[in-house]
Amino acid sequence: MKRFSGLNGNALRVWGLTALLALGVFFVTRLVLLAHAVVFSEQPAGGLLGAVALGLLRDLPAAAVVASPWALFELLGKPSWRARLRWPLLAIYVFTLCFVAVSETIFWDEFSVRFNFIALDYLVFTTEVIGNIRESYPVGQIVGALALLSALLVWLLKRPLHSAVTRSVPRRSQLGWVLSLVVLVWVVAYKMAPPEFSSSNFANELADNGWRSFLWAARQNKLDYRQFYATRPDAEVISDLQRLSGHARVSATHDAVQKVAYKSGFPGGKQPNVVVVMMESMSAEYMATFGNNENLTPSLDKLAGEGMLFTHLYAAGTRTVRGLEALSAALPPLPGKSVVRWPDITNLNTLGASLAERGWAPHFLYGGYGMFDNMNGYFGAQGYKVTDRTGFKDGLVEFENVWGVADEHLFDQVLLEIDRETATGKPFFGHVMTASNHVPFTYPSGRIDIPSPGKRAGGVKYADYAVGRFIEMAKQKPWFDNTIFVFVADHCASSAGKAKIPVHRYHIPAIVYAPKMISPQRVDTLASQIDLVPTLLAMLGLEKDDHFVGRNILQVRPEEGRALLSTYQNLGYLKGDVMTVLQPRRKIETFRISADGKEAQPMATDPKLAEEAIAYFQGAALLMEQHGNDGRH
């Protein structure tokens, strides 16, 4: 190789060779994802073959972009640099392609999508994410196998790359047009939007390219509603938002209420403690109450029978921050980042702020590290006392993994905090976020009949065990009879489905349990996660303090039920069996949803439903603008 080290190799041939390698890796990756969709998601292979063909075409500019640094290396690098770095860089390049391919497969296994803003966010929280991967997968074996595969591919590429390098072309003769081609492919790739050739979300995602989708997510993570979505006049939107919420005024900003003496409608006339337990990934489909026969949730099923069960309540999104946002601020989900992730948000209209005005002591307790997803920052800025795994009582935690402490230890800390507040005479309000029902699904031994790690079934059953233990321990406390417990999921365990917004993947349980204050009942009205805050305020007799966007479910006529669902770009408005979806580029699509929520048939858009959908989502953006933010976070 030394006698050719001073020549200017054919940059186009080297670029083409490395792009062809990337193209091959992309193709194999797509075949693996296809097999996964067919085997594990039971998608018909025939319906996805078109996605494979389209994906190959879409891979061309992506492969050219990924390999373009090689063209620049051969054109602009000094001969001595090229001679020393060519082969080490090739090894790194090949390993990176293979590593990203495996990462895509793992990401697809959990989310059934290509890289998106979730993958982008995960790069920020490396401690939890890397720790989670190390506990969930044999990382050493995977990396070792990839290193061997990379070495083999480099060896196979030795002769063709040697040939490309030795076919010398003067630098000046190729500089202009090769650089022009590099710019051209970057422009094409930059302009390439996500594929939308099929009504099946699996097909659209399969046709995409992970490298392209990751860069697109980096561009689109901040979405200005006005710029990308269908709009109406602001005054009309606010007027409709007031009508739809049932409130004379709606706001995202907390205003001090007039100090009117609180009158409790519950026995004894005391202000009850309120404990909202948000359970990680607790889909409704895991409960026997909703038809599951695996006996995974005996505790929750018992509470559902003894409390107030909301049978048709749907999560606002597919990530924890969306649940936190809905259960604290009752805001419809905005595209892009959740409000929880916005920087420097203070004085937001939250349940904690409303209750604090009336004498409650608001707390946020989390079993993981609260810096993740800005949980500590968000709740602390809204006046909650924040306690995460770093602030638990010494000696309390006996089991933890990278994602958080065992749920039973979190609940032990909750009991301590309630004891502490009630001893001062103040009613306690706690927003509790669990962590155990999350990969790697590890938990203390001897608690349930599924050994740890128990995959999803074990995670669900242990989380349920911890809830049952918590309630039994709470029953021994003097404050139990004057406490309202709310158990609700943050989101479902999976967001995968054929539809743009697969409704069945948003169905979550919601149970209000206070045996001395609330009689057992079922509420079958279609409702949203954002409605729990106004419903709780109404139960507490604080309707006049309510200027949230959500509404009191107990006062909604069944035929007026509705739910708000979202991905990070698609915003769904479900009313009856009709789903109106607002999408970027001001696009609106409407679907008829099957009874089981799994099928979505396109239909003509109902103008009235489209107006209501816009009112909710544009209205939320307007309220945040009025709060003093630009709505583009």
Side-chain angles (χ1 to χ4, degrees):
M1 290 296 295
K2 288 184 177 180
R3 66 192 185 93
F4 299 110
S5 61
L7 298 176
N8 292 307
N10 191 324
L12 185 61
R13 290 177 64 88
V14 175
W15 184 14
L17 178 65
T18 50
L20 187 62
L21 174 64
L23 198 63
V25 173
F26 296 163
F27 181 68
V28 172
T29 302
R30 185 171 288 106
L31 292 182
V32 172
L33 301 186
L34 170 65
H36 188 285
V38 172
V39 174
F40 295 103
S41 300
E42 299 180 353
Q43 297 299 305
L48 299 177
L49 293 180
V52 175
L54 177 61
L56 184 60
L57 293 176
R58 293 176 59 86
D59 284 344
L60 291 172
V65 165
V66 170
S68 60
W70 282 101
L72 301 180
F73 174 75
E74 294 295 338
L75 277 176
L76 306 177
K78 293 182 178 180
S80 58
W81 293 2
R82 295 201 307 273
R84 294 189 183 96
L85 297 178
R86 186 176 287 121
W87 295 102
L89 288 178
L90 179 64
I92 293 172
Y93 174 72
V94 173
F95 181 85
T96 301
L97 288 174
C98 296
F99 182 83
V100 171
V102 172
S103 301
E104 273 207 84
T105 305
I106 293 172
F107 193 80
W108 180 279
D109 179 59
E110 184 166 358
F111 298 103
S112 293
V113 294
R114 294 285 192 159
F115 287 142
N116 58 16
F117 84 110
I118 297 176
L120 192 69
D121 281 353
Y122 277 4
L123 290 181
V124 179
F125 304 104
T126 53
T127 300
E128 290 85 353
V129 174
I130 293 176
N132 179 44
I133 291 171
R134 291 178 62 186
E135 292 183 5
S136 303
Y137 302 96
V139 176
Q141 297 176 35
I142 292 174
V143 172
L146 290 179
L148 289 175
L149 176 61
S150 301
L152 175 61
L153 290 174
V154 169
W155 181 77
L156 292 174
L157 287 170
K158 185 175 182 180
R159 180 171 296 179
L161 183 60
H162 182 277
S163 176
V165 170
T166 55
R167 298 199 179 189
S168 177
V169 178
R171 176 183 299 180
R172 183 175 299 177
S173 67
Q174 56 181 331
L175 182 62
W177 57 271
V178 172
L179 288 178
S180 298
L181 281 176
V182 170
V183 172
L184 177 62
V185 296
W186 270 93
V187 170
V188 171
Y190 183 82
K191 295 288 187 181
M192 187 178 290
E196 294 185 354
F197 76 102
S198 172
S199 59
S200 168
N201 198 53
F202 274 104
N204 288 329
E205 291 292 341
L206 194 62
D208 207 352
N209 177 279
W211 292 75
R212 187 221 64 82
S213 64
F214 184 84
L215 293 176
W216 180 268
R219 290 174 52 200
Q220 302 297 322
N221 205 16
K222 296 181 179 181
L223 296 178
D224 185 329
Y225 183 92
R226 293 181 187 276
Q227 180 180 354
F228 290 99
Y229 294 84
T231 58
R232 298 172 54 202
D234 290 353
E236 292 182 12
V237 164
I238 294 298
S239 176
D240 274 359
L241 202 57
Q242 293 168 339
R243 173 181 60 82
L244 292 167
S245 67
H247 305 143
R249 174 172 170 266
V250 289
S251 174
T253 304
H254 175 68
D255 297 325
V257 299
Q258 293 184 344
K259 296 292 184 179
V260 179
Y262 175 75
K263 294 182 180 180
S264 174
F266 296 110
K270 294 173 61 179
Q271 290 173 260
N273 303 304
V274 179
V275 182
V276 176
V277 177
M278 181 169 284
M279 302 186 70
E280 173 68 46
S281 303
M282 186 58 71
S283 305
E285 65 178 342
Y286 297 132
M287 292 180 61
T289 301
F290 297 103
N292 189 287
N293 58 10
E294 300 175 84
N295 191 34
L296 297 177
T297 58
S299 299
L300 287 173
D301 289 318
K302 186 174 186 290
L303 296 177
E306 298 175 353
M308 179 184 291
L309 172 68
F310 295 92
T311 61
H312 287 82
L313 189 130
Y314 288 82
T318 59
R319 292 201 64 206
T320 297
V321 283
R322 287 300 183 194
L324 295 174
E325 170 187 272
L327 263 293
S328 61
L331 276 170
L334 289 171
K337 289 182 181 180
S338 162
V339 168
V340 174
R341 296 284 316 280
W342 290 19
D344 305 321
I345 295 290
T346 58
N347 200 38
L348 199 63
N349 187 30
T350 62
L351 178 58
S354 296
L355 294 182
E357 283 284 326
R358 295 297 190 177
W360 274 266
H363 289 247
F364 173 70
L365 299 103
Y366 176 45
Y369 293 114
M371 64 174 290
F372 186 79
D373 273 336
N374 193 43
M375 294 184 205
N376 284 358
Y378 169 79
F379 282 99
Q382 313 318 316
Y384 291 68
K385 177 186 175 183
V386 174
T387 306
D388 69 0
R389 68 193 293 177
T390 65
F392 284 18
K393 180 183 176 181
D394 289 344
L396 188 70
V397 177
E398 298 177 0
F399 184 94
E400 58 188 318
N401 59 32
V402 68
W403 212 256
V405 307
D407 284 354
E408 62 189 80
H409 305 320
L410 167 64
F411 289 134
D412 288 342
Q413 184 68 34
V414 174
L415 293 171
L416 290 174
E417 297 293 345
I418 302 176
D419 286 344
R420 187 177 293 119
E421 291 293 358
T422 54
T424 69
K426 286 193 98 174
F428 174 89
F429 166 63
H431 191 144
V432 182
M433 182 68 224
T434 71
S436 289
N437 186 26
H438 193 292
V439 287
F441 302 119
T442 56
Y443 38 82
S445 62
R447 299 326 194 245
I448 60 173
D449 57 3
I450 302 175
S452 172
K455 299 186 179 180
R456 179 63 70 181
V460 169
K461 195 161 190 175
Y462 172 73
D464 178 82
Y465 158 83
V467 165
R469 177 181 177 274
F470 172 52
I471 290 297
E472 290 305 312
M473 294 177 71
K475 285 180 178 179
Q476 310 306 314
K477 300 290 186 178
W479 44 258
F480 175 78
D481 288 347
N482 191 47
T483 301
I484 297 173
F485 298 90
V486 181
F487 294 94
V488 61
D490 57 349
H491 55 78
C492 283
S494 172
S495 59
K498 293 188 289 185
K500 290 183 182 296
I501 301 181
V503 173
H504 68 297
R505 296 302 191 188
Y506 288 75
H507 186 206
I508 57 174
I511 303 164
V512 180
Y513 178 72
K516 298 295 185 179
M517 293 182 279
I518 299 171
S519 60
Q521 55 192 289
R522 290 169 63 99
V523 180
D524 297 325
T525 304
L526 175 63
S528 171
Q529 211 172 21
I530 73 169
D531 298 324
L532 286 175
V533 168
T535 303
L536 271 173
L537 286 177
M539 288 180 175
L540 295 169
L542 297 174
E543 297 96 329
K544 292 184 179 180
D545 296 351
D546 181 4
H547 50 274
F548 291 96
V549 175
R551 58 191 186 177
N552 178 8
I553 305 169
L554 304 179
Q555 294 297 315
V556 175
R557 298 195 307 272
E559 65 272 16
E560 289 300 315
R562 60 91 187 94
L564 306 171
L565 308 85
S566 72
T567 64
Y568 81 109
Q569 286 191 348
N570 296 329
L571 309 173
Y573 179 65
L574 179 65
K575 192 167 186 179
D577 63 350
V578 177
M579 169 78 82
T580 304
V581 181
L582 308 183
Q583 301 172 65
R585 291 176 287 184
R586 307 187 187 279
K587 186 177 179 181
I588 302 177
E589 289 186 301
T590 303
F591 303 89
R592 181 81 62 187
I593 305 300
S594 62
D596 61 6
K598 295 181 180 180
E599 302 293 333
Q601 296 298 323
M603 60 176 288
T605 295
D606 182 326
K608 182 175 182 296
L609 293 180
E611 289 180 355
E612 291 181 358
I614 294 170
Y616 272 112
F617 295 111
Q618 182 183 342
L622 280 171
L623 294 182
M624 290 309 299
E625 288 176 12
Q626 294 168 5
H627 186 70
N629 298 278
D630 63 7
R632 292 174 296 191
H633 294 275

